[in-house]
Amino acid sequence: MSDRTPTARGEFVAGARSMVPFLLSAFPLGVIGGTLGLAAGLSYLETFGLAMVVNSGTAQFIGFKLISEGAAWPVIVLTTLILSLRMLIYSTLLAPHVRELPQRWRLLLGFGLIDAVFFVAFDRIKGDEPARRKSMFYFGASAVMYVNWAIATVVGMIAGHLLPERLRSGLDFPMTAVFLVVLASALVGWKVWTTAVSAGALALLLLGLPYNLGLIVAAFGGAFVGMACEVVQRRWFPPKPAEEPAESGEPGETSAEPGEPGREPRTPQPRTAGAAAGERRAVETARDTDGR
């Protein structure tokens, strides 16, 4: 009988295959990112290097825009960090399921964390399989997205400026639509729902704060709620241990008679002297009768 346990290579390939729908929608965005970098005054090397270090389309686009407007580097760094605060919520949800991995593996998982990878790999990460096997699925998903973005950035730097303006303005819609679909499908479990609803409610309540500070507070608030949900589950709703069947024949246990569940078995009553004498007379009478 062959062993059907998935190997590390098989998990890596499975993770890469799971990202195929996202590759098609992310590639045009990478092309636009390469074009925006050159338009912002960056060189080919600077554009490609920034795309690979940031590993976030949203932060990359905002960074290119701020660079083109002459913003100071502290402003650019702070703005991109604020826009990436949702990753704090993602990492909070992932952390309990990768705690047993070495730190260098967790750092690599964190670098490859993007929206699409989280939505696809989260269900697999929170499963009961060994952490190393689950992490290979995650690595496969993040690696193929990273390579896809790198190729798209190069294509954008070479030929992105040839795209007409009306086409460039609509290329981001497929990614937005896919993002909404996978977001809806990922809202499973009371912890995820509580975290998402809390962050959304805080964002709406603090919508009037200047400099989009409401989004910052909402992201931190959602992460705090997610961690609180983990504490509540571990303390008040721990997993129930599997019940072992009781062994038969233990001292003090009595079994009921067949067909009479719950009834105690009958115990023989001690015989009296009169009963014993009566039995002897009956035996002698039967013997005499047989001898006639």
Side-chain angles (χ1 to χ4, degrees):
M1 182 174 172
S2 60
D3 186 9
R4 296 181 178 272
T5 303
T7 62
R9 181 179 179 182
E11 291 289 344
F12 186 91
V13 173
R17 288 177 177 174
S18 67
M19 302 306 298
V20 170
F22 295 92
L23 298 178
L24 301 176
S25 58
F27 193 87
L29 294 178
V31 172
I32 295 177
T35 305
L36 292 178
L38 298 180
L42 298 179
S43 65
Y44 284 92
L45 182 59
E46 291 170 338
T47 300
F48 184 78
L50 182 60
M52 295 298 94
V53 171
V54 173
N55 194 26
S56 171
T58 304
Q60 180 180 334
F61 291 169
I62 295 299
F64 287 156
K65 182 176 178 58
L66 293 176
I67 291 174
S68 64
E69 295 177 354
W73 281 106
V75 175
I76 298 173
V77 173
L78 181 60
T79 303
T80 54
L81 287 177
I82 292 173
L83 291 174
S84 301
L85 281 178
R86 66 189 184 280
M87 300 300 166
L88 183 62
I89 299 178
Y90 296 165
S91 59
T92 301
L93 297 174
L94 289 172
H97 309 289
V98 296
R99 194 174 285 124
E100 60 187 85
L101 292 175
Q103 185 177 10
R104 62 181 183 276
W105 282 51
R106 297 199 302 268
L107 290 174
L108 191 57
L109 288 173
F111 178 77
L113 180 60
I114 60 175
D115 298 303
V117 171
F118 172 80
F119 291 128
V120 170
F122 180 62
D123 287 338
R124 191 65 171 270
I125 288 291
K126 68 180 182 181
D128 297 330
E129 300 178 30
R132 285 185 178 272
R133 185 182 301 167
K134 296 184 296 185
S135 64
M136 290 307 298
F137 181 91
Y138 183 104
F139 287 146
S142 60
V144 72
M145 289 295 291
Y146 190 77
V147 173
N148 179 71
W149 192 261
I151 297 174
T153 301
V154 173
V155 172
M157 290 189 299
I158 296 174
H161 63 279
L162 300 177
L163 295 175
E165 181 65 27
R166 60 183 180 84
L167 184 59
R168 278 183 287 171
S169 62
L171 285 176
D172 58 341
F173 176 75
M175 191 62 181
T176 303
V178 173
F179 179 85
L180 293 176
V181 171
V182 296
L183 175 62
S185 64
L187 293 176
V188 291
W190 70 273
K191 292 186 293 184
V192 180
W193 270 103
T194 304
T195 302
V197 171
S198 301
L202 282 174
L204 291 176
L205 290 174
L206 305 176
L207 191 60
L209 292 181
Y211 306 109
N212 288 328
L213 292 177
L215 294 178
I216 304 176
V217 177
F220 280 109
F224 177 80
V225 171
M227 291 185 291
C229 289
E230 288 290 339
V231 174
V232 169
Q233 185 179 38
R234 288 197 302 267
R235 181 170 299 180
W236 283 285
F237 303 100
K240 296 181 180 179
E243 297 182 359
E244 298 181 357
E247 297 181 359
S248 60
E250 293 183 358
E253 291 186 355
T254 58
S255 58
E257 294 181 4
E260 297 179 349
R263 294 185 56 183
E264 296 182 356
R266 299 174 183 175
T267 56
Q269 301 293 331
R271 296 189 302 169
T272 61
E279 289 179 1
R280 285 195 299 269
R281 286 195 297 268
V283 170
E284 292 174 357
T285 302
R287 185 185 306 157
D288 295 341
T289 302
D290 294 338
R292 287 177 185 175

